[in-house]
Amino acid sequence: MVPFAGYSMPLSYGDVGQVFTEPNNHSFRGTSVTQFLEWLTPSSLAQLKPYSSTLSVLLNPQGGIIDDTIVTKHSEKAFYVVTNAGRRKEDLAWFAQKLEEWNAGKSAEEAVEHEVLENWGLLALQGPEAASYLQSLTPFDLKQLTFGTSAFVPIEGFNLHVARGGYTGEDGFEISIPPSQTVEVATMLLKPPVQLIGLGARDSLRLEAGMCLYGNDLDETTTPVEAGLSWVIGKDRKVDGGFIGADIIQKQLKEGPTRRRVGLVVEGAPARRVVTSGIPSPTLGKNIAMGYIQSGWHKKGTEVEVEVRKQRRKAILTPMPFVKPNYWRG
């Protein structure tokens, strides 16, 4: 067990497997909730269909990333938002401040309500056999759930919010569970071929898939354009703006950022802290990493050097993801 965002989290359970948990769950409701969340994020949430999700980011006035988040639209008046446990204090303070600003002068009918779903569990069932295993536990046809969609699904007597997605690059599901049922559901799911995994496996999976980790690859001084996350910005939002930090983001989209997040394959010892993320890839058998490099040097195939334990190692800029994702898109 290791300290992680104020919690004790397992680094490893021994064998690599398929479940981890690290949630902060929020419910936002109100007649103006879509407009409120489109002010906090650059995503086109109005265009989302019910029970569809998108990766997004909370931005500060400088365009820096306060946190990355998954936003799920349940209806025009209700959204379910998952943020990082490690940013709980900052996120809650930001939500409280912005809700006060937004609701000022609005009627009770127009105001947005925010509920923190305290102590709710979030189990991520991930891997090539995740769908067939979960299908054996429910009469719900999981083929109806494509990547980025969700539904309330009956699972062995429980009615649970199940979203198809996850942060591993594999097919899988994120299952949201009320506090009183979390241990029981986790125990019910933990039967062969399911195995528990810890932070070590989570980190290798998300890095092979080219996914950012807040605190490593993202922070409040990094914009989504620099981080290669411009795709989370809706096409209409790129033009119309209307979100916090929009002026800076629109300028970077037009003129280009001064630095960019890139993927690296490193010769010799694996690059870890000298870049934003780095591991020996279990799948590829190579040392992979990601980091930021000055614009103009960010083209694939460019050779650079990274410093590993006071020695310089050659690295080659490599497109991400390093390993092709296997999302279920129908």
Side-chain angles (χ1 to χ4, degrees):
M1 304 292 285
V2 297
F4 184 83
Y7 300 87
S8 292
M9 293 283 284
L11 184 65
S12 169
Y13 288 95
D15 295 325
V16 174
Q18 295 173 309
V19 183
F20 62 84
T21 174
E22 183 198 325
N24 255 329
N25 304 320
H26 308 263
S27 174
F28 290 91
R29 297 181 296 274
T31 56
S32 64
V33 66
T34 302
Q35 292 84 355
F36 172 70
L37 291 175
E38 283 196 340
W39 179 44
L40 265 58
T41 76
S43 299
S44 297
L45 304 179
Q47 297 177 10
L48 276 183
K49 295 179 180 180
Y51 287 90
S52 294
S53 306
T54 182
L55 176 69
S56 193
V57 286
L58 301 172
L59 298 178
N60 63 28
Q62 293 73 45
I65 300 172
I66 296 171
D67 202 359
D68 56 325
T69 177
I70 299 292
V71 180
T72 300
K73 184 178 189 176
H74 283 170
S75 71
E76 297 294 336
K77 298 180 181 180
F79 284 79
Y80 169 63
V81 176
V82 179
T83 56
N84 285 301
R87 296 292 288 173
R88 177 183 172 86
K89 180 180 177 181
E90 292 82 1
D91 292 343
L92 289 178
W94 187 250
F95 286 146
Q97 176 188 339
K98 294 306 167 185
L99 275 166
E100 184 178 358
E101 293 178 23
W102 183 263
N103 288 334
K106 287 185 170 63
S107 67
E109 291 183 355
E110 296 172 318
V112 173
E113 298 178 2
H114 172 215
E115 179 186 2
V116 181
L117 303 178
E118 294 283 5
N119 300 318
W120 277 56
L122 186 67
L123 296 177
L125 182 71
Q126 303 280 291
E129 297 181 48
S132 60
Y133 176 76
L134 191 61
Q135 188 65 77
S136 71
L137 304 177
T138 178
F140 184 93
D141 183 6
L142 294 176
K143 290 182 180 179
Q144 296 179 34
L145 282 185
T146 54
F147 180 76
T149 65
S150 60
F152 283 93
V153 175
I155 302 174
E156 296 287 274
F158 300 94
N159 189 41
L160 304 172
H161 185 270
V162 176
R164 196 153 199 165
Y167 221 59
T168 63
E170 263 296 346
D171 183 25
F173 307 87
E174 291 193 334
I175 305 170
S176 181
I177 313 167
S180 63
Q181 301 175 1
T182 300
V183 173
E184 193 174 353
V185 170
T187 303
M188 178 266 294
L189 288 173
L190 280 172
K191 299 172 185 175
V194 178
Q195 300 175 31
L196 289 167
I197 69 164
L199 296 175
R202 187 284 306 267
D203 203 40
S204 66
L205 288 165
R206 68 93 188 169
L207 184 48
E208 288 183 338
M211 297 174 173
C212 299
L213 179 65
Y214 198 93
N216 285 41
D217 315 298
L218 305 175
D219 58 33
E220 291 204 40
T221 67
T222 304
T223 72
V225 183
E226 294 171 334
L229 297 176
S230 296
W231 59 271
V232 309
I233 307 170
K235 290 182 180 179
D236 57 323
R237 315 298 312 281
K238 291 176 180 178
V239 176
D240 300 334
F243 54 89
I244 296 170
D247 290 348
I248 292 172
I249 299 301
Q250 289 174 314
K251 183 178 180 181
Q252 287 189 348
L253 287 169
K254 183 178 180 179
E255 301 175 2
T258 57
R259 61 173 187 151
R260 299 171 188 266
R261 180 173 62 94
V262 296
L264 301 161
V265 172
V266 185
E267 292 186 358
R272 296 183 188 274
R273 295 300 178 188
V274 296
V275 291
T276 56
S277 292
I279 57 163
S281 166
T283 303
L284 301 176
K286 300 177 181 179
N287 298 319
I288 62 173
M290 64 171 69
Y292 286 84
I293 195 165
Q294 183 179 335
S295 289
W297 291 82
H298 63 281
K299 305 299 182 183
K300 69 177 182 180
T302 301
E303 290 190 7
V304 296
E305 289 184 331
V306 297
E307 189 174 294
V308 184
R309 293 191 290 275
K310 297 184 179 181
Q311 292 187 2
R312 293 200 170 192
R313 306 278 185 182
K314 186 173 77 171
I316 298 175
L317 270 60
T318 305
M320 293 184 288
F322 298 100
V323 177
K324 184 181 178 181
N326 291 312
Y327 303 126
W328 170 256
R329 300 188 184 275

